[in-house]
Amino acid sequence: MADAQYILPNDIGVFSLDCREAFRLLSPTERLYAHHLSRAAWYGGLAVLLQTSPEAPYIYALLSRLFRAQDPDQLRQLALAEGLTEEEYQAFLVYAAGIYSNMGNYKSFGDTKFVPNLPKEKLERVILGSKAAGQHPEEVRSLWQTCGELMFSLEPRLRHLGLGKEGITTYFSGDCTMEDAKLAQDFLDSQNLSAYNTRLFKGVLEDGQPCYEVRLASVLGAEPALHSEMTSKLKSYEFRGSHFQVTRGDYAPILQKVVEHLEKAKAYAANSRQEQMLAQYIESFTQGSIEAHKRGSRFWIQDKGPIVESYIGFIESYRDPFGSRGEFEGFVAMVNKAMSAKFECLVASAEQLLKELPWPPAFEKDKFLTPDFTSLDVLTFSGSGIPAGINIPNYDDLRQTDGFKNVSLGNVLAVAYATQREKLTFLEEEDKDLYIRWKGPSFDVQVGLHELLGHGSGKLFVQDEKGAFNFDQETVINPETGEQIQSWYRSGETWDSKFSTIASSYEECRAESVGLYLCLNPQVLEIFGFKGADAEDVIYVNWLNMVRAGLLALEFYTPETSSWRQAHMQARFVILRVLLEAGEGLVTVTPTTGADGRPDARVRLDRDKIRPVGKPALERFLRKLQVLKSTGDVAGGRALYEGYAAVTDAPPECFLTLRDTVLLRKESRKLIVQPNTRLEGSEVQLLEYEASAAGLIRSFSERFPEDGPELEEVLIQLATADARFWRFPSENPSGQA
């Protein structure tokens, strides 16, 4: 059997996303709008399979064919007859649910591969003896032969997502290195092209010169098209001795389905801004234009307080090893009025609260662009995982000039709150009941501050294409050096492109630190309804949760490559290091032995020292983070951030040793079962499923009732067309995708 960190346990938590009441309150037109946006999101989410691993599309197609022919209960009878135990069959269901939940065979949170927790020969008997194999023997056998070996393989390079020899990724061809990624980013910057909707494929010309294909995601490919802003970009380039070819058409048949449902959604839009937003998204996905997606995002920002909220596109860059390419994501949600009222009060106080952040006014935006901040109940969230809160769009230029929106996902938070006392690790016994009581409320406060005033704060110093600066070079002083500003962002450079591999984690760390810092403000706590002793408990549990999360983060560190696999968790480890460095016993991490005789550890936070010791330490750290970000000081930013993110066995904490304890005691991330919507006549029905691995599988078996087999064939064709890019000489041919 595989190492525990590469399997999903049979007792993994599975929860259903409850949005019944919010959906019930929608009007018939709002339901139709939500339905077609959901369809667009689910279709687009299939692209994530092609963005994850070479074998992921084949695994998805194989499982979908299996469970379309026989539902989990029917397949169970065959499995038991083939010699599987109940535990082995449950392990298979959990694996399948994990594939659907993560949209691939790598965990969305941690980027670690997971494999079936049963013998390969037994799984093969089930697959080849299934009803699906009986109906289409050649197709099912071919799929199994294509992905079976890779499904189980834990060769070092395949254990984690990464670039070059560090892991596997399908954002880049298998022979790309970090140097190739840097060169490609410089090329994209030189042409004012975004990397968000691209993949990079490397080749070699006859003369030995490297050549690169930058492929944009779009419905249109090489066929002639009416002139658009993209057509002039689709050509060959010579750049620093290398040949670049910009093409488009990645995920074309999938994006065609997205566009069809966005067109249908337009008919049910609540206002002209929504119509214009959808029109620009359609243009973006059709032409491959990020500029069109930006225009759509502007209309989205202006669409204040919609009953049905959504966003869709190539959004988050966490899983790109270089940190610039966006994973496809689409969500549809409905407003939760009670919690949204609290967030509105927080927004109203934002300008005053921003003044409390520990950097000079010149390092803050010239004008706070009042955003929407709503609490939503999610109906649909496609992609590889579901966050608890979102601050979007991620385009730096829009955030600086047009603003952004904050979204707290209430029914996702409700799942996150679910904590069993017996599964609480690394806390003192006297802290556990307090933690359970206040984790949910403190998380509401932290998410609100993190999204609104964390991601929503701070100015980037920019020199535009005409040479003009957005800051006064003569008067603005760097508070860390006492000198004038020496560095900034030049035209075409963005936060992601400049800070690349650390950009996501660094920004998450800044936002988390802002949340911890501002939750000490009594005004903030009163907005959320907390005063006196309750307010102090919320502060304590919020800080305690962060330092515990910093210890849990060690699960996502890979000692062999000295690298982190998850931006949020790296950020929390950095904060733990900062607070430990503050000294005076503010935070202690003590190795111990558990009741079972195995290694354990305890995290202790001295609540009386949070303000006198923790606050000034966090203040100094936050100011450095912001100054380095504002000035685009990559060298300084890397030195600071990577210094704190280093994991060693230096005493007193001995983090490398503690990592073994964390892995021993880890609890798997919960799986979330989402509903479907179905159009019956002119009415939209909500279809819900039980909170189990089988329920999650059924939700996907019913997700594409009209064209499931067609979609699987599309995925197979797209994966096969690019399979040559990930064939490694050392691999067994039978394991190739």
Side-chain angles (χ1 to χ4, degrees), residues 24 51 84 123 133 143 148 163 174 202 216 221 391 429 590 630 673 678 692 714 716:
R24 185 185 68 81
Q51 294 180 300
L84 274 71
L123 180 55
L143 281 169
L163 191 55
K202 183 180 180 181
L216 310 178
N391 177 287
E429 283 300 315
T590 309
S630 289
V673 184
R678 181 159 299 167
S692 67
V714 162
I716 292 167

Side-chain angles (χ1 to χ4, degrees), residues 512-531:
E512 292 281 43
S513 299
V514 166
L516 285 185
Y517 186 77
L518 290 179
C519 83
L520 300 173
N521 186 306
Q523 178 188 354
V524 168
L525 295 166
E526 283 190 35
I527 288 171
F528 286 88
F530 307 120
K531 295 181 180 179

Side-chain angles (χ1 to χ4, degrees), residues 386-441:
I386 311 178
I390 313 170
N391 177 287
I392 40 182
N394 287 333
Y395 305 120
D396 293 325
D397 48 351
L398 264 65
R399 296 167 68 83
Q400 298 284 319
T401 59
D402 294 77
F404 51 90
K405 281 188 183 182
N406 294 277
V407 172
S408 175
L409 304 177
N411 55 348
V412 177
L413 284 167
V415 170
Y417 296 161
T419 304
Q420 295 173 285
R421 195 181 196 280
E422 60 272 19
K423 290 192 174 184
L424 261 183
T425 53
F426 307 126
L427 292 179
E428 300 286 357
E429 283 300 315
E430 59 266 28
D431 279 333
K432 288 185 177 180
D433 291 331
L434 196 69
Y435 183 90
I436 290 170
R437 167 70 182 85
W438 292 107
K439 181 188 176 187

Side-chain angles (χ1 to χ4, degrees), residues 32 69 90 255 332 362 448 461 502 507 533 552 633 642 651 665 667 737:
L32 285 162
Q90 180 62 22
L255 292 177
V332 183
F461 295 155
I502 67 166
E507 174 59 10
L552 294 174
D633 183 351
E642 291 175 347
R665 302 281 177 181
E667 182 181 358

Side-chain angles (χ1 to χ4, degrees), residues 262 266 274-284 292 296:
L262 292 180
K266 275 175 65 181
Q274 289 181 359
E275 291 174 6
Q276 291 169 304
M277 170 190 80
L278 294 176
Q280 291 298 327
Y281 291 164
I282 290 165
E283 173 77 3
S284 173

